[in-house]
Structures are given as C-alpha cells and as structure tokens.
Amino acid sequence: MNYNDLQLRDLALGAYLHDIGKAITPEKTKHPEAGFNILRSIHDLSLRSAHVSFQHHETLDGQGYPRGLKGTAIHEYAQICGAANMYENLISLRETPPHEALEVLMALSGTKYLESVVKAFVDRIPSYPPGTMVQLNNGEPGIVIRIDTHMQRPVVRILASGQEISLADNPSIMITELARDSLRL
C-alpha cells in the first residue's frame, strides 16, 4: 500500500499487539478498548499503533465494535489488521480452506473492509499456499510446491508421477478441491 518505513513500523506494532487486551479481559467486545488503554500508555508506541488495537473489530458499515464506527472514522491500519485478523480466524479457528477464506474476505470488500485493503491482501496472499494438498480437474491429486508468476495459479506436483505443472501456464487445469486427507504423512 506504498507505506513508508515509519508507517510500516506503526502498522506492524499495532497488528502485532492488536489482541493484547485479551490479557486483561475475556469479554469479546471489551478487549479492543482494554488493549488501547494499555498501548496508549506506552510512550514509545505511536497512538496510530494503539488505534489498531482499539479499532480492529470496527467495520465500514458500522456493525463492528467496540464503538460502531463507520467508514473513514476507522483508521486504515485498523482495517488492514481487521481483514488479516478475519482471514486468520477463518483458517485457524474455523478451519476454512485458504481459498474459501479469501472468497469470504472478497465478499466483505466495500461493506466491512476497504476495497483497497482487500485488494492488496488478495494480491499478496495465495489461495493455495505451498504444502496444500489439492485435487485437480484431471482427477490427479497433487501438492502445491511453489508460486512463480501468478499468486492464485501455483505450481503443483502430481503425486503419482512427480510431474510439476504450472497452473499459470496451463489454464485448462484447475484445482477443484483440497485433498488434505488423500495423503497420510
């Protein structure tokens, strides 16, 4: 998003510490404010970083918490953290496959999260990270081994033959589903 080093530092620190309020309160809707109160008392931490904690559950439509902020009242850093937090919760807590988690995030673009934030996220986070077991439309199970030229069209190694296929170079070959249970490691 073309941030300079100081902006990246503030964003990174805020994102890293965004859930610190959970150490103070187990109440879901109260941890953002608790975290903000902790972080704003640290003089070496910018107020922008503290606002990431305070606003990371706020959404553009005003349905977030703790204050129900809308639109431009929410800091962009908090929007970035909120979108990343949503994605992380989907894949780790709800066990949503990464490609479906990206679809959920894209569906929330413009209503819950800034379109620019969602676009930047989707452009940099692969649907199928290396190590993902997949089933191809040709019936072959495979494993994503790397991403070369297109974030959403990885290189897949066919399990039976060891052949590597770049989906970016072979548009007729598609991933149809995740195949995590097809290989016992």
Side-chain angles (χ1 to χ4, degrees):
M1 300 203 48
N2 297 317
Y3 289 162
N4 64 37
D5 288 345
L6 181 59
Q7 291 170 312
L8 288 173
R9 177 187 173 274
D10 287 348
L11 170 59
L13 287 170
Y16 185 70
L17 298 169
H18 76 278
D19 272 341
I20 196 166
K22 288 182 176 180
I24 303 299
T25 180
E27 293 182 55
K28 179 181 177 180
T29 59
K30 298 206 184 268
H31 82 271
E33 186 171 2
F36 175 72
N37 289 330
I38 292 167
L39 298 177
R40 75 177 178 173
S41 70
I42 300 171
H43 298 292
D44 292 334
L45 195 68
S46 78
L47 197 54
R48 286 183 300 275
S49 294
H51 273 284
V52 172
S53 178
F54 201 10
Q55 297 180 357
H56 72 279
H57 285 296
E58 300 286 359
T59 57
L60 293 178
D61 60 6
Q63 300 299 308
Y65 62 89
R67 296 183 293 166
L69 298 177
K70 279 183 153 180
T72 58
I74 305 166
H75 197 285
E76 188 173 81
Y77 295 176
Q79 278 277 291
I80 292 168
C81 183
N85 189 56
M86 166 67 78
Y87 177 81
E88 193 273 330
N89 285 338
L90 286 167
I91 62 172
S92 65
L93 299 178
R94 298 182 193 165
E95 299 182 4
T96 305
H99 67 285
E100 290 179 23
L102 283 174
E103 287 291 332
V104 169
L105 203 54
M106 287 186 284
L108 299 174
S109 179
T111 57
K112 298 287 185 189
Y113 303 107
L114 291 167
E115 290 177 13
S116 59
V117 167
V118 173
K119 181 178 179 346
F121 192 88
V122 170
D123 287 349
R124 286 159 186 83
I125 301 296
S127 293
Y128 307 99
T132 303
M133 301 295 296
V134 296
Q135 185 76 32
L136 301 177
N137 64 336
N138 63 7
E140 296 279 356
I143 185 169
V144 175
I145 57 169
R146 70 179 177 276
I147 298 165
D148 285 342
T149 59
H150 191 290
M151 187 64 67
Q152 309 308 334
R153 301 287 291 162
V155 176
V156 176
R157 179 177 293 136
I158 304 300
L159 295 179
S161 67
Q163 176 188 9
E164 294 181 5
I165 298 174
S166 169
L167 300 186
D169 296 337
N170 294 279
S172 64
I173 300 176
M174 297 176 285
I175 295 171
T176 57
E177 63 183 315
L178 296 183
R180 292 182 190 174
D181 296 333
S182 65
L183 180 66
R184 305 243 191 269
L185 298 177

